[in-house]
Amino acid sequence: MKIVVTVKQVPDPNAPQGLDPDNTIARDREVVLDPGDECGIEIGLQLREAHGGEVVLVSMGPEKARDAIRKGLSMGADRGILITDGALAGADAFLTARTLAAAIGPESPDLVISATESYDGSTGMVPPMLAELLSLPQLTFAKHVEVSSGRVTVHRQTEAGYQVVEAETPALITVTAGIAEPRYASLKGIMAARSKEVRVVTAGDLGVDRGEPAEVVQGIADAETRQAGEVVEDDGSIGVERIITVLQAAKVL
Amino acid sequence: MAKIWVYAEQSQGRPAATTLELLTRARELGDVEAIALGPGAAAAAPVLGKHGAKRVHVNEEAAFAEYLAEPATDCLAALVGAGAPDLILFGFSPDSREVAGRLAARLGTGLIANAMDVDVDGSCFVAKVPYFGGAKVATYRANTSPAVVLIRPKSFEVSESGGQAEVVEVAAAIGGGSRRARIVETKTEAADKVKLEDAQVVVSGGRGLGGPENFHYVEELADALGGAAGASRAIVDAGWVPYAMQVGQTGKTVRPGVYIAAGISGAMQHTVGMKGAKVIVAINKDPEAPILKMADLGVVGDALKILPKLTEAVRAKKGG
Ligand SMILES: Cc1cc2nc3c(=O)[nH]c(=O)nc-3n(C[C@H](O)[C@H](O)[C@H](O)COP(=O)(O)OP(=O)(O)OC[C@H]3O[C@@H](n4cnc5c(N)ncnc54)[C@H](O)[C@@H]3O)c2cc1C
Ligand SMILES: Nc1ncnc2c1ncn2[C@@H]1O[C@H](COP(=O)(O)O)[C@@H](O)[C@H]1O
């Protein structure tokens, strides 16, 4: 089975965040492989272990995104494709999906695995667009995945529980953060990753042109904030007393 | 007048709350039509009309409810081709965003996701989107026709216009290869508790509770107040509680009368989902916790000690 996992490099969610004066997200921050995509890689590796085949990582980003691919290769993925091109800087979801589709299409994977949403963009719009452009069914919000004899089954997390969703492969699935604990790269894995192939391609190689953006930024302003109210130090009773008063004033008690 | 379409989510004839929110806003901006698909679509139409849809396109085909995203995308794409809307609004919900993503890719338009407001600006549409974890708000101008905008739940207060919709039966237009991702079974885990997004009181717990064995303190207080229990992402990801309880950027948006946050630090990604509450109460051990800078009442103390006493006090008041 051939599995493609899309992987994105994002600012480290655990590092302090900063904005440049022009309101772009500061670029000098620590970057990491998106934790959601680590789960995607883990599932890809588990499926390869069960069914054989190959796990290919595909990322679009600056040259530095090679580190994200490298990390996935250290975990055990087989090879990577890095799409990097100044012309793609600041790509929106649709351009990202078009570019990823152009790189993934020729691989003819049985399964494409993405995270439900990325840690920085976090709109989760790339996967459904990618599925459409690759003409694949999409099985989303998976908290459990099984593949057997050409069928993929997922447990799709919903508000009230989950749905069991099934499709024939090839298909695209999106996985949730809780689906699996990503494995650590072993020293052996890190060594092995050094000799694994990372093919670097440009937008031109893929025949992708930038096109018109879906949106134009008109302005960025501070969000409305709430003011701090009363703060009390609990002494064993004042906390409860004050909260009760507030609940009564709000007429919920 | 701008021609605005709202993709209506409905189940068994009941439109989703977010759909009614979108209609309420859309009718201020132009002529509104809704598209309702799947069993129950026709029954939902009068409710959609009452909230501002002048026309509702319906098709009751079972495949719309049985298969994810693709059948609805096919139907919408066919309708867009014939009807030429200026703006298509979707709720930013899991189901809608999958349809919207496929549709925008098929139309070649792209989209604006995660918006908290949409407006008309001359001949263009603009949308406000939380940026940088919610600390900032970006205003985007849609650059495509139709503009496709996905709006966060609870962005608008629902009101009725008292209108009546013309109901138009449309072709399902489902492509031969689109019955693919099939829902074979639906499992319900959450019992019939008060719905988080409808609750007048929400009590949420975070990592400060120390472990899953302490979450019952949160649930007991929520029960005593007739409200619902929520959670931060930290403890959802850690597997203490199900995702359905998550409040925030990647979870639910709530606007209760009172929101009580216990052992939650107040990261922007959390507060973006609850800062619309009328009153916010926070219990946190750390006097420097960001949540105390936005709470109407902040109690610096140990949630594990305060919650059980509070629950007892609430029960006593209710009893007496
Ligand atoms: C893209 C993205 C999306 C995200 N989406 C969401 C989202 O939808 N919802 C969400 O919640 N988060 C979201 N997050 C995560 C968010 O940034 C925070 O990491 C998370 O909200 C922290 O959860 P917490 O407050 O429970 O934990 P912590 O930040 O660890 O805070 C625990 C708090 O408990 C206090 N505490 C400790 N012990 C006690 C005690 N005994 N009594 C009282 N207080 C105590 C501590 O002082 C601390 O303030 C998202 C992050 C990213 C990057
Ligand atoms: N630039 C990118 N390169 C590779 N994969 C991406 C990229 N952007 C998004 N994805 C994939 O799509 C998922 C959801 O991202 P998003 O739609 O941005 O929330 C990510 O977790 C990745 O798996």
Side-chain angles (χ1 to χ4, degrees), chain A residues 137-240:
Chain A
Q138 64 195 78
L139 296 83
T140 45
F141 278 91
K143 53 174 200 167
H144 174 81
V145 185
E146 267 166 57
V147 177
S148 76
S149 54
R151 298 192 74 76
V152 54
T153 306
V154 310
H155 289 182
R156 179 181 190 248
Q157 185 171 279
T158 61
E159 305 244 312
Y162 66 93
Q163 295 168 325
V164 182
V165 183
E166 244 180 43
E168 275 169 34
T169 57
L172 177 145
I173 64 172
T174 71
V175 297
T176 59
I179 191 168
E181 192 61 40
R183 66 192 66 185
Y184 286 104
S186 64
L187 190 59
K188 204 167 130 233
I190 295 170
M191 298 300 285
R194 291 193 187 149
S195 57
K196 288 177 179 170
E197 179 201 14
V198 178
R199 187 156 59 88
V200 180
V201 296
T202 64
D205 297 337
L206 297 171
V208 172
D209 65 75
R210 202 174 160 108
E212 282 284 304
E215 77 227 8
V216 181
V217 181
Q218 276 198 327
I220 293 177
D222 288 334
E224 275 176 40
T225 50
R226 292 178 71 115
Q227 297 302 311
E230 177 194 359
V231 176
V232 297
E233 183 102 26
D234 187 42
D235 61 359
S237 61
I238 178 102
V240 170

Side-chain angles (χ1 to χ4, degrees), chain A residues 13 17 118-120 122, chain B residues 205-209 231-235 246-251 262-270 283-286 289 301-304:
Chain A
Q17 309 195 11
S118 63
Y119 265 68
D120 64 338
S122 118
Chain B
R207 189 144 50 194
L209 295 174
S232 73
R233 173 162 169 176
I235 72 169
Q246 183 177 318
V247 172
Q249 182 180 325
T250 42
I264 292 179
S265 59
M268 242 130 40
Q269 295 90 356
H270 182 80
I283 306 171
N284 199 298
K285 219 161 69 171
D286 174 9
D302 186 347
L304 299 179

Side-chain angles (χ1 to χ4, degrees), chain B residues 57-130:
Chain B
H57 305 264
V58 300
N59 188 293
E60 295 252 341
E61 165 71 49
F64 291 118
E66 236 175 87
Y67 296 88
L68 297 182
E70 291 182 89
T73 307
D74 290 353
C75 183
L76 279 174
L79 288 173
V80 169
D86 301 307
L87 169 67
I88 312 176
L89 293 178
F90 290 86
F92 193 54
S93 70
D95 286 340
S96 285
R97 76 182 188 184
E98 290 166 18
V99 176
R102 289 196 89 110
L103 180 70
R106 192 174 301 178
L107 299 175
T109 57
L111 46 72
I112 300 178
N114 197 27
M116 47 197 242
D117 194 9
V118 59
D119 208 344
V120 181
D121 178 14
S123 60
C124 297
F125 295 98
V126 290
K128 286 196 162 48
V129 178

